[in-house]
Amino acid sequence: MDSVRVHLFTIVWIWIASPHICSGSSNSSFWGKKATLVRPPCHWQLSNQCVVPELEELSVCVTIQREIHTSEWTAFDYKQRGQIKTELGLVGSERQLTVWLFKVEHKVNLTESLTLHHWHTFCLTWSAKSKQLRLYVNASRLAELPTDGSRLAGNGMLTLGVSHSMLGGVMDYETGKELMGNATLFRMWGRELGEDELTDLRCVDGDVVSWTKRHWDPDCQPVPDSSLICEWTKYKIDMNVSIKSKPVVTGMLKAIVQKWFEDTFHSNVSVHGIFISSTSSRWLQGTGDDFGEQVKERRVSSNERTEKRYACLVYVEVMPKADVLAVQEEVQKRLTLQYDHGGVVVKAHPASINVISIEAFPNVTERPSSTADPPTLSTSPTTVRQDTFYRVHLNASINVTVIKSADIIKNWLNVKLNPQSMTVLNFEMNPDLHKYGCTFQVQANSLNISETTHLIYSLLTEAYITDAMSIQALPGHINISHIAPGSCPDHLQQTLYGLYDWPRTEPEDRATLLCEKNSRDQATRSCKLDGMTDKAMWKRPDLSLCKRTVDDITDLDKVNVTANNSGEIVDMIGSLVGNGTDLSDSQLDTVLDKLDDVVSVSPVPPGLAGNIVEIISNVLHSKADLASFTNKILRLTDSVGDTMNFDGEAHNITAPSLALQLVTINSNHFQGLTFGVSSFTNNNSPEIFMNKTFVEKPQGAVAAISLPVVLENFFPRNNTATPRIQFQFYDSAVLFKNPSDTMKLNSYVVSASMTNVNVSNLQQPIIITLRHLNRVQNQDQPILCVYWDFTKSNGGGWESQGCKTESTDGFQTTCHCDHLTHFGVLLDVSKAEISTEDEEILTIISYLGCGLSSIFLGVTLVTYLAFEKLRQDYPSKILINLSLALLGLNLVFLLNSWFASFGSRGVCVSVAAIQHFFVLASFMWMGLEALHMYFALVKVFNTYVPSYILKFCVLGWGIPAVIIILILAIDRDVYGSSLDGETQDPLKDSSPFCWVQNETAFYVSVMSFILLVLLCNITVFGVVLVQIRRMQANKPTSNTSGLLHDLRVVASLTFLLGLTWILPFFSWGPVHTPFMYLFSILNSLQGFFIFIFHCLMKENVQKQWRIHLCCGPLRPGDYSEWSRSMTGAVRGGHSRLVHFPSVKSEDTSSIRKISDSSTSGVSQINA
């Protein structure tokens, strides 16, 4: 409160000793009115008589209402005179706000869009001490931004709803991002307000810039708006008065004014302070007429009564609280009437009356002398609360159909109850019982319960009639009950900002303490009436103005953990340990020690346990070396489960990469227990399941553990203790160190334990089912079922005694163990066919190759589609379709993992189906390419085939589409992510990838299809090579050119027919890794090689490039002969066989030219 007191005194002192910071001749208030800024343009700027001083802290609030949608809009713009950049301002768009401070812009994303035709309040706070700029939207903090400035520049120009600049001393308004709507209640304070203060002081005017006419210079007048109602109780009345009486001493003046106010306002307005000055220099400024001339005395009657003029400042409280505008108008009206009492005549000058809502009253009644130290100020003195609280349930009756019934009913309640010193709290509609049913609480300033209950009933059952409707509570459907919420108790709270001892506080009141580190600022905490329990409950404290006393983890050593502050300690640790935090060994040790202290001081409630598990999850994702802390983390998690109190038979907690399941066992009905994780993706919370029976083979589990019935032999024999079983799931492999470089953890870790019981040597084994993190491709690789042994040297380690591997395949392992602890699966990677390093390299090669192929396949398609002469024969059209299928395959493969990371089942199924379609389509067109070669070079016959290419398209695209549609119709779960289904991707590891998940469907619809096409293509490949050799037999050529030509033909056909896809079928034993490298390189670059052999090295393609893309000497001078030959070929194609005559006269003849042109041999086969 000290800062508030000093601040209020400063206002009083400025009023007495000097002119106001912002002053003017008029005092009309703009409260309850809005600045209409829509077209025609209406500009609002700060009055020249209002000067913003240099500020080392500030708060600004403005409320706007957008009427027309624009891409950008301006709330306000404050600039230094002569400067271009904004010193302080706020600009908005559809999803983002831009805040300017010290000529630096800060972008802040909105959490939700700002709807049109609704009022939205924006507040900015900043201080040089905190160096934090805080942005609030509709009373909620949106952002906290660091700043470097030390003070706000003073004497600037401020515009509302539009940006501006000064050109030659003339204000120029910028167009393009004006606010097309309304604005109201722009206020600026000379101090930083906390979050709760901004809410509580929403009806208080600013002390630097206020929402009054004397502070603004608008082009148009403000417009009244009945929806702008804001009720407040504390006001400051600043005015000039004339007192006509016999000469009086100065001390009697205050009594005269006190009597004047008591007789004028009666009991609803109480005076809390009066300041009077007859020699204030402010009088020398004038008020616009002779009333404001320099102070002087004059004789007015023979009885020597004199009239003297004074500057008067009065602090009043209005009860019950009322709308600010209504109070201002009523005070203005009453004080302008002449008051005559006992020969004393008092009158306020109408133009000088200025009524301002304020935060608190000064605790002084005499004007301080100019040499005295400023007196202390405080809020109104503490009094015994006179409030009572009530719960009201009612069904309202409205005679017309309304849309926003909640707003209408709430406004009706406020109108009826507020004038009677009653406040509506926690209003909620209850449409299940009645169309206009609602419930709320009432705070009444009265101790007479029966009288207040009757008053509420009378007010609400009485019809409230307006021009548009009539509304009242149905008499038989209103229930009013008195509630005793109690008080918010004393609370010693440990926070990052210090230790705060909050005093006992009444509901709907606020406690204020000084910040521990910066004692000039305040920490506040509200005590609110809870809408569910009808009890007083503390809200989170507002410590936004306080500085941290705990800046990092090492400061936690100074904090002692007790049962009363354990929750606050966990909150502190949670704010210091975020996901990805880089923790040193000493910091991690401190965090774990403090959490262990929290668990040991008292039983842990579920909420606190959830926070601790969240911190442990963050630790697992931190950059710290966890290997030496494994035992400590596991024991801490066990302790959380053992000491947690929860209702019901079971409770679970999940966090990213961690899950905890607790079960209270009924020993009389124990039939075994099964716990598992059904699905899990990296950095997300696992989905867990539990079955209260023994399930030997859990289906679709990432990790599962089944406890047999014989476990009941270890239950406590007395009835005083209820057995509790705890399950845990861990994803983080970094938590568990590998026993050697050759043995690595290849599964998630799952555990089971019984509170305070060591379970071992079970006659019936525990069954643990664990999915492999990486598919085991070599069945000869040893797989070992292990458990974590806390007693091993160097902080624990894996041990296999008591566990055996029951069954295993490439995807999961089933273990049998005779005790309870943490279980996992180790894999001997020394015998793996492909190492992890090789897998990473192969993945990079695949992505780079596919990316390169996509680019050149695109170039190939553009070339053939752009130049008509290149696509007039059938081989070129088949090549276009093949290139299109391969391009789709490459692009979907490149984006597959990205789509899989969304975690959307529908998206993943769609991507997997599309990927499958392009795989089948690519191989189908490779097969059709081989079929066409067979027809052209081997099976040469004169048979007309109508719509030859159309039929190829039906086969090439139709057959894959039919296969995909059948699969989706039979079972769409065939597709999915490699982390979703019961089995993993047969071709890849367990990283997210959308593909065929059913093993049968994979081998039938993918492997067998590919194998069939490859066998056909290999056969055609061999036949074509034999045919080519026969054609070349009678054409002598040099050995060197013939060898190069043959190699070029073989390479061209190999990539065109996709023969490199046969490599995985022969990658066994020692050649597995080399063949996989060849497979990844050659197949990922298939599109690139197609471009090389069938586009870049093709003579007619080169000629078209030179004709259309080159100029000068590179452009051929005469290409009419080539054009005529192509035209003739096209005409001949229409009169002969459907590409078979072209095959015979064109393709066959082309093959015969291979010997003559080695550079175009392969091209001619397919052109």
Side-chain angles (χ1 to χ4, degrees), residues 42-85:
C42 176
H43 299 127
W44 282 57
Q45 70 182 64
L46 202 64
S47 170
N48 290 329
Q49 297 182 8
C50 181
V51 178
V52 177
E54 291 187 346
L55 297 173
E56 294 184 354
E57 55 180 317
L58 60 88
S59 299
V60 176
C61 287
V62 62
T63 301
I64 68 170
Q65 181 187 54
R66 297 166 59 222
E67 296 290 352
I68 301 174
H69 175 77
T70 55
S71 59
E72 270 193 300
W73 47 267
T74 302
F76 67 93
D77 184 44
Y78 176 77
K79 294 177 180 174
Q80 285 182 273
R81 298 176 187 269
Q83 296 292 322
I84 298 176
K85 288 193 173 182

Short mmCIF file of all heavy atoms in Angstrom, two decimals, residues 42-85:
data_model
loop_
_atom_site.label_atom_id
_atom_site.label_comp_id
_atom_site.label_asym_id
_atom_site.label_seq_id
_atom_site.Cartn_x
_atom_site.Cartn_y
_atom_site.Cartn_z
N CYS A 42 -13.49 10.31 -37.99
CA CYS A 42 -13.59 11.09 -36.76
C CYS A 42 -12.31 10.83 -35.97
O CYS A 42 -12.09 9.72 -35.53
CB CYS A 42 -14.82 10.69 -35.96
SG CYS A 42 -14.96 11.52 -34.36
N HIS A 43 -11.47 11.84 -35.82
CA HIS A 43 -10.16 11.66 -35.22
C HIS A 43 -10.14 12.19 -33.79
O HIS A 43 -10.66 13.27 -33.51
CB HIS A 43 -9.09 12.36 -36.05
CG HIS A 43 -8.98 11.84 -37.44
ND1 HIS A 43 -9.04 12.66 -38.56
CD2 HIS A 43 -8.85 10.58 -37.91
CE1 HIS A 43 -8.93 11.92 -39.65
NE2 HIS A 43 -8.82 10.66 -39.29
N TRP A 44 -9.55 11.41 -32.91
CA TRP A 44 -9.39 11.79 -31.52
C TRP A 44 -7.90 11.88 -31.21
O TRP A 44 -7.16 10.92 -31.43
CB TRP A 44 -10.03 10.74 -30.60
CG TRP A 44 -11.53 10.85 -30.51
CD1 TRP A 44 -12.40 10.80 -31.54
CD2 TRP A 44 -12.30 11.03 -29.33
NE1 TRP A 44 -13.70 10.92 -31.09
CE2 TRP A 44 -13.66 11.06 -29.72
CE3 TRP A 44 -11.98 11.16 -27.98
CZ2 TRP A 44 -14.69 11.22 -28.81
CZ3 TRP A 44 -13.02 11.31 -27.07
CH2 TRP A 44 -14.36 11.35 -27.48
N GLN A 45 -7.49 13.01 -30.67
CA GLN A 45 -6.11 13.17 -30.25
C GLN A 45 -6.06 13.82 -28.87
O GLN A 45 -7.03 14.44 -28.44
CB GLN A 45 -5.32 14.00 -31.25
CG GLN A 45 -5.69 15.48 -31.28
CD GLN A 45 -4.90 16.24 -32.31
OE1 GLN A 45 -5.03 16.00 -33.51
NE2 GLN A 45 -4.08 17.17 -31.85
N LEU A 46 -4.95 13.64 -28.21
CA LEU A 46 -4.79 14.19 -26.87
C LEU A 46 -4.78 15.71 -26.94
O LEU A 46 -4.17 16.30 -27.84
CB LEU A 46 -3.49 13.68 -26.26
CG LEU A 46 -3.38 13.71 -24.73
CD1 LEU A 46 -4.41 12.78 -24.12
CD2 LEU A 46 -1.98 13.29 -24.30
N SER A 47 -5.46 16.33 -25.98
CA SER A 47 -5.52 17.79 -25.95
C SER A 47 -4.13 18.38 -25.75
O SER A 47 -3.27 17.81 -25.06
CB SER A 47 -6.44 18.24 -24.83
OG SER A 47 -6.34 19.63 -24.62
N ASN A 48 -3.90 19.57 -26.36
CA ASN A 48 -2.61 20.24 -26.19
C ASN A 48 -2.37 20.66 -24.75
O ASN A 48 -1.23 20.86 -24.34
CB ASN A 48 -2.53 21.46 -27.11
CG ASN A 48 -2.44 21.07 -28.57
OD1 ASN A 48 -1.88 20.03 -28.89
ND2 ASN A 48 -2.99 21.90 -29.46
N GLN A 49 -3.43 20.79 -23.98
CA GLN A 49 -3.30 21.18 -22.58
C GLN A 49 -3.00 19.99 -21.68
O GLN A 49 -2.78 20.18 -20.48
CB GLN A 49 -4.57 21.89 -22.12
CG GLN A 49 -4.85 23.18 -22.87
CD GLN A 49 -6.09 23.89 -22.35
OE1 GLN A 49 -6.64 23.49 -21.33
NE2 GLN A 49 -6.50 24.93 -23.04
N CYS A 50 -3.02 18.79 -22.24
CA CYS A 50 -2.71 17.59 -21.45
C CYS A 50 -1.31 17.09 -21.85
O CYS A 50 -1.10 16.67 -22.99
CB CYS A 50 -3.74 16.50 -21.72
SG CYS A 50 -3.46 15.00 -20.77
N VAL A 51 -0.39 17.17 -20.95
CA VAL A 51 1.00 16.81 -21.23
C VAL A 51 1.33 15.52 -20.48
O VAL A 51 1.20 15.44 -19.26
CB VAL A 51 1.97 17.94 -20.79
CG1 VAL A 51 3.41 17.52 -21.05
CG2 VAL A 51 1.64 19.22 -21.54
N VAL A 52 1.74 14.50 -21.22
CA VAL A 52 2.19 13.24 -20.61
C VAL A 52 3.62 13.43 -20.13
O VAL A 52 4.51 13.72 -20.93
CB VAL A 52 2.11 12.08 -21.62
CG1 VAL A 52 2.66 10.80 -20.99
CG2 VAL A 52 0.68 11.88 -22.09
N PRO A 53 3.88 13.30 -18.83
CA PRO A 53 5.25 13.49 -18.33
C PRO A 53 6.13 12.28 -18.65
O PRO A 53 5.64 11.23 -19.09
CB PRO A 53 5.04 13.63 -16.82
CG PRO A 53 3.84 12.80 -16.55
CD PRO A 53 2.95 12.93 -17.75
N GLU A 54 7.42 12.41 -18.42
CA GLU A 54 8.29 11.25 -18.50
C GLU A 54 7.93 10.28 -17.38
O GLU A 54 7.75 10.69 -16.23
CB GLU A 54 9.77 11.67 -18.37
CG GLU A 54 10.28 12.45 -19.56
CD GLU A 54 11.78 12.69 -19.46
OE1 GLU A 54 12.33 12.49 -18.36
OE2 GLU A 54 12.40 13.08 -20.47
N LEU A 55 7.79 9.01 -17.71
CA LEU A 55 7.31 8.02 -16.75
C LEU A 55 8.29 6.87 -16.66
O LEU A 55 8.76 6.35 -17.67
CB LEU A 55 5.93 7.49 -17.18
CG LEU A 55 4.79 8.50 -17.22
CD1 LEU A 55 3.54 7.86 -17.83
CD2 LEU A 55 4.49 9.04 -15.84
N GLU A 56 8.59 6.47 -15.42
CA GLU A 56 9.43 5.30 -15.19
C GLU A 56 8.59 4.05 -14.93
O GLU A 56 9.13 2.96 -14.78
CB GLU A 56 10.37 5.54 -14.01
CG GLU A 56 11.40 6.63 -14.31
CD GLU A 56 12.39 6.79 -13.18
OE1 GLU A 56 12.22 6.13 -12.13
OE2 GLU A 56 13.34 7.57 -13.34
N GLU A 57 7.30 4.22 -14.87
CA GLU A 57 6.36 3.10 -14.83
C GLU A 57 5.01 3.63 -15.30
O GLU A 57 4.72 4.82 -15.19
CB GLU A 57 6.25 2.48 -13.43
CG GLU A 57 5.89 3.44 -12.32
CD GLU A 57 5.81 2.72 -10.98
OE1 GLU A 57 5.25 1.61 -10.96
OE2 GLU A 57 6.31 3.26 -9.99
N LEU A 58 4.20 2.73 -15.84
CA LEU A 58 2.94 3.19 -16.40
C LEU A 58 1.98 2.00 -16.54
O LEU A 58 2.39 0.84 -16.52
CB LEU A 58 3.15 3.84 -17.77
CG LEU A 58 3.79 3.00 -18.89
CD1 LEU A 58 2.75 2.20 -19.67
CD2 LEU A 58 4.56 3.88 -19.84
N SER A 59 0.71 2.36 -16.70
CA SER A 59 -0.34 1.41 -17.07
C SER A 59 -1.28 2.13 -18.02
O SER A 59 -1.61 3.30 -17.80
CB SER A 59 -1.10 0.90 -15.84
OG SER A 59 -0.24 0.22 -14.96
N VAL A 60 -1.70 1.45 -19.08
CA VAL A 60 -2.60 2.02 -20.07
C VAL A 60 -3.70 1.01 -20.34
O VAL A 60 -3.42 -0.18 -20.53
CB VAL A 60 -1.87 2.36 -21.38
CG1 VAL A 60 -2.86 2.86 -22.43
CG2 VAL A 60 -0.80 3.41 -21.15
N CYS A 61 -4.95 1.47 -20.36
CA CYS A 61 -6.08 0.61 -20.71
C CYS A 61 -6.95 1.32 -21.73
O CYS A 61 -7.14 2.55 -21.64
CB CYS A 61 -6.92 0.24 -19.49
SG CYS A 61 -6.14 -0.96 -18.38
N VAL A 62 -7.49 0.57 -22.67
CA VAL A 62 -8.43 1.10 -23.63
C VAL A 62 -9.40 -0.02 -24.01
O VAL A 62 -9.01 -1.19 -24.09
CB VAL A 62 -7.71 1.65 -24.89
CG1 VAL A 62 -6.95 0.55 -25.62
CG2 VAL A 62 -8.69 2.34 -25.82
N THR A 63 -10.65 0.34 -24.22
CA THR A 63 -11.68 -0.62 -24.61
C THR A 63 -12.16 -0.27 -26.01
O THR A 63 -12.51 0.88 -26.28
CB THR A 63 -12.86 -0.59 -23.62
OG1 THR A 63 -12.37 -0.89 -22.31
CG2 THR A 63 -13.90 -1.62 -24.01
N ILE A 64 -12.16 -1.27 -26.90
CA ILE A 64 -12.54 -1.00 -28.29
C ILE A 64 -13.62 -1.98 -28.73
O ILE A 64 -13.77 -3.06 -28.16
CB ILE A 64 -11.33 -1.08 -29.25
CG1 ILE A 64 -10.82 -2.53 -29.33
CG2 ILE A 64 -10.23 -0.14 -28.82
CD1 ILE A 64 -9.80 -2.72 -30.43
N GLN A 65 -14.33 -1.58 -29.76
CA GLN A 65 -15.38 -2.40 -30.37
C GLN A 65 -15.26 -2.26 -31.89
O GLN A 65 -15.49 -1.19 -32.44
CB GLN A 65 -16.76 -1.93 -29.90
CG GLN A 65 -17.93 -2.74 -30.44
CD GLN A 65 -19.26 -2.10 -30.07
OE1 GLN A 65 -19.49 -0.92 -30.34
NE2 GLN A 65 -20.13 -2.87 -29.44
N ARG A 66 -14.86 -3.34 -32.56
CA ARG A 66 -14.71 -3.32 -34.02
C ARG A 66 -16.06 -3.57 -34.66
O ARG A 66 -16.75 -4.52 -34.34
CB ARG A 66 -13.70 -4.37 -34.47
CG ARG A 66 -12.30 -4.13 -33.93
CD ARG A 66 -11.41 -5.35 -34.09
NE ARG A 66 -11.28 -5.74 -35.46
CZ ARG A 66 -11.31 -7.00 -35.90
NH1 ARG A 66 -11.48 -7.99 -35.04
NH2 ARG A 66 -11.15 -7.28 -37.18
N GLU A 67 -16.42 -2.69 -35.61
CA GLU A 67 -17.70 -2.81 -36.32
C GLU A 67 -17.51 -3.36 -37.73
O GLU A 67 -18.38 -4.03 -38.26
CB GLU A 67 -18.39 -1.45 -36.39
CG GLU A 67 -18.79 -0.88 -35.04
CD GLU A 67 -19.93 -1.63 -34.40
OE1 GLU A 67 -20.53 -2.50 -35.06
OE2 GLU A 67 -20.24 -1.36 -33.23
N ILE A 68 -16.36 -3.08 -38.33
CA ILE A 68 -16.07 -3.50 -39.71
C ILE A 68 -14.76 -4.25 -39.69
O ILE A 68 -13.77 -3.82 -39.08
CB ILE A 68 -15.99 -2.30 -40.67
CG1 ILE A 68 -17.30 -1.52 -40.65
CG2 ILE A 68 -15.63 -2.75 -42.08
CD1 ILE A 68 -17.26 -0.24 -41.45
N HIS A 69 -14.72 -5.39 -40.38
CA HIS A 69 -13.50 -6.20 -40.42
C HIS A 69 -12.45 -5.54 -41.30
O HIS A 69 -12.70 -5.17 -42.45
CB HIS A 69 -13.80 -7.60 -40.95
CG HIS A 69 -12.58 -8.43 -41.12
ND1 HIS A 69 -11.93 -9.02 -40.05
CD2 HIS A 69 -11.85 -8.75 -42.22
CE1 HIS A 69 -10.88 -9.68 -40.50
NE2 HIS A 69 -10.81 -9.53 -41.82
N THR A 70 -11.25 -5.37 -40.78
CA THR A 70 -10.10 -4.89 -41.54
C THR A 70 -8.91 -5.77 -41.20
O THR A 70 -8.85 -6.40 -40.14
CB THR A 70 -9.77 -3.43 -41.18
OG1 THR A 70 -9.58 -3.32 -39.75
CG2 THR A 70 -10.88 -2.50 -41.62
N SER A 71 -7.96 -5.83 -42.15
CA SER A 71 -6.79 -6.70 -41.94
C SER A 71 -5.94 -6.21 -40.77
O SER A 71 -5.33 -7.01 -40.07
CB SER A 71 -5.94 -6.76 -43.21
OG SER A 71 -5.51 -5.47 -43.58
N GLU A 72 -5.90 -4.89 -40.55
CA GLU A 72 -5.16 -4.32 -39.43
C GLU A 72 -5.96 -3.18 -38.84
O GLU A 72 -6.73 -2.51 -39.55
CB GLU A 72 -3.78 -3.81 -39.88
CG GLU A 72 -2.66 -4.82 -39.81
CD GLU A 72 -1.30 -4.16 -39.95
OE1 GLU A 72 -1.07 -3.53 -41.00
OE2 GLU A 72 -0.47 -4.26 -39.03
N TRP A 73 -5.80 -2.95 -37.57
CA TRP A 73 -6.47 -1.84 -36.91
C TRP A 73 -5.58 -1.31 -35.79
O TRP A 73 -4.75 -2.03 -35.23
CB TRP A 73 -7.83 -2.26 -36.34
CG TRP A 73 -7.80 -3.54 -35.57
CD1 TRP A 73 -8.05 -4.79 -36.02
CD2 TRP A 73 -7.47 -3.70 -34.16
NE1 TRP A 73 -7.91 -5.72 -35.04
CE2 TRP A 73 -7.55 -5.08 -33.87
CE3 TRP A 73 -7.11 -2.82 -33.16
CZ2 TRP A 73 -7.29 -5.59 -32.61
CZ3 TRP A 73 -6.86 -3.32 -31.89
CH2 TRP A 73 -6.95 -4.69 -31.62
N THR A 74 -5.73 -0.04 -35.48
CA THR A 74 -4.92 0.63 -34.47
C THR A 74 -5.78 0.96 -33.26
O THR A 74 -6.85 1.55 -33.41
CB THR A 74 -4.29 1.92 -35.04
OG1 THR A 74 -3.50 1.58 -36.18
CG2 THR A 74 -3.44 2.61 -34.00
N ALA A 75 -5.31 0.61 -32.08
CA ALA A 75 -6.00 0.98 -30.85
C ALA A 75 -5.60 2.39 -30.43
O ALA A 75 -6.45 3.25 -30.21
CB ALA A 75 -5.70 -0.02 -29.75
N PHE A 76 -4.29 2.64 -30.32
CA PHE A 76 -3.80 3.99 -30.01
C PHE A 76 -2.35 4.08 -30.45
O PHE A 76 -1.66 3.08 -30.67
CB PHE A 76 -3.95 4.32 -28.52
CG PHE A 76 -3.07 3.50 -27.61
CD1 PHE A 76 -1.80 3.95 -27.23
CD2 PHE A 76 -3.51 2.28 -27.14
CE1 PHE A 76 -1.00 3.18 -26.40
CE2 PHE A 76 -2.71 1.51 -26.31
CZ PHE A 76 -1.45 1.97 -25.93
N ASP A 77 -1.88 5.33 -30.59
CA ASP A 77 -0.53 5.58 -31.09
C ASP A 77 0.04 6.80 -30.38
O ASP A 77 -0.51 7.90 -30.50
CB ASP A 77 -0.57 5.79 -32.61
CG ASP A 77 0.81 5.95 -33.21
OD1 ASP A 77 1.70 5.18 -32.83
OD2 ASP A 77 0.99 6.84 -34.06
N TYR A 78 1.13 6.62 -29.63
CA TYR A 78 1.78 7.71 -28.89
C TYR A 78 3.19 7.87 -29.41
O TYR A 78 3.99 6.92 -29.38
CB TYR A 78 1.79 7.42 -27.39
CG TYR A 78 2.53 8.47 -26.56
CD1 TYR A 78 1.94 9.69 -26.28
CD2 TYR A 78 3.81 8.23 -26.08
CE1 TYR A 78 2.61 10.64 -25.52
CE2 TYR A 78 4.48 9.16 -25.32
CZ TYR A 78 3.89 10.37 -25.04
OH TYR A 78 4.56 11.31 -24.30
N LYS A 79 3.52 9.06 -29.92
CA LYS A 79 4.84 9.32 -30.48
C LYS A 79 5.42 10.61 -29.90
O LYS A 79 4.68 11.55 -29.57
CB LYS A 79 4.76 9.45 -32.00
CG LYS A 79 4.38 8.18 -32.74
CD LYS A 79 4.25 8.41 -34.23
CE LYS A 79 3.87 7.12 -34.94
NZ LYS A 79 3.61 7.34 -36.38
N GLN A 80 6.76 10.62 -29.79
CA GLN A 80 7.42 11.86 -29.46
C GLN A 80 7.23 12.85 -30.60
O GLN A 80 7.18 12.47 -31.78
CB GLN A 80 8.92 11.63 -29.24
CG GLN A 80 9.27 10.97 -27.93
CD GLN A 80 10.78 10.82 -27.78
OE1 GLN A 80 11.33 9.84 -28.23
NE2 GLN A 80 11.41 11.80 -27.16
N ARG A 81 7.20 14.11 -30.25
CA ARG A 81 7.05 15.13 -31.29
C ARG A 81 8.29 15.11 -32.18
O ARG A 81 9.41 15.15 -31.69
CB ARG A 81 6.84 16.50 -30.67
CG ARG A 81 5.56 16.58 -29.83
CD ARG A 81 5.43 17.91 -29.14
NE ARG A 81 4.30 17.90 -28.22
CZ ARG A 81 3.07 18.28 -28.55
NH1 ARG A 81 2.82 18.68 -29.79
NH2 ARG A 81 2.09 18.24 -27.66
N GLY A 82 8.06 15.03 -33.50
CA GLY A 82 9.16 15.02 -34.43
C GLY A 82 9.73 13.64 -34.71
O GLY A 82 10.64 13.50 -35.53
N GLN A 83 9.20 12.60 -34.05
CA GLN A 83 9.69 11.24 -34.25
C GLN A 83 8.74 10.47 -35.17
O GLN A 83 7.53 10.72 -35.19
CB GLN A 83 9.82 10.51 -32.91
CG GLN A 83 10.84 11.12 -31.98
CD GLN A 83 12.25 10.97 -32.49
OE1 GLN A 83 12.61 9.95 -33.06
NE2 GLN A 83 13.06 12.01 -32.30
N ILE A 84 9.33 9.51 -35.90
CA ILE A 84 8.53 8.71 -36.83
C ILE A 84 8.03 7.44 -36.17
O ILE A 84 6.87 7.06 -36.33
CB ILE A 84 9.37 8.37 -38.09
CG1 ILE A 84 9.78 9.64 -38.82
CG2 ILE A 84 8.59 7.44 -39.02
CD1 ILE A 84 10.66 9.40 -40.01
N LYS A 85 8.90 6.80 -35.39
CA LYS A 85 8.53 5.53 -34.78
C LYS A 85 7.68 5.75 -33.53
O LYS A 85 7.79 6.77 -32.84
CB LYS A 85 9.77 4.73 -34.43
CG LYS A 85 10.48 4.16 -35.65
CD LYS A 85 11.52 3.12 -35.26
CE LYS A 85 12.10 2.43 -36.48
NZ LYS A 85 13.07 1.38 -36.11
#
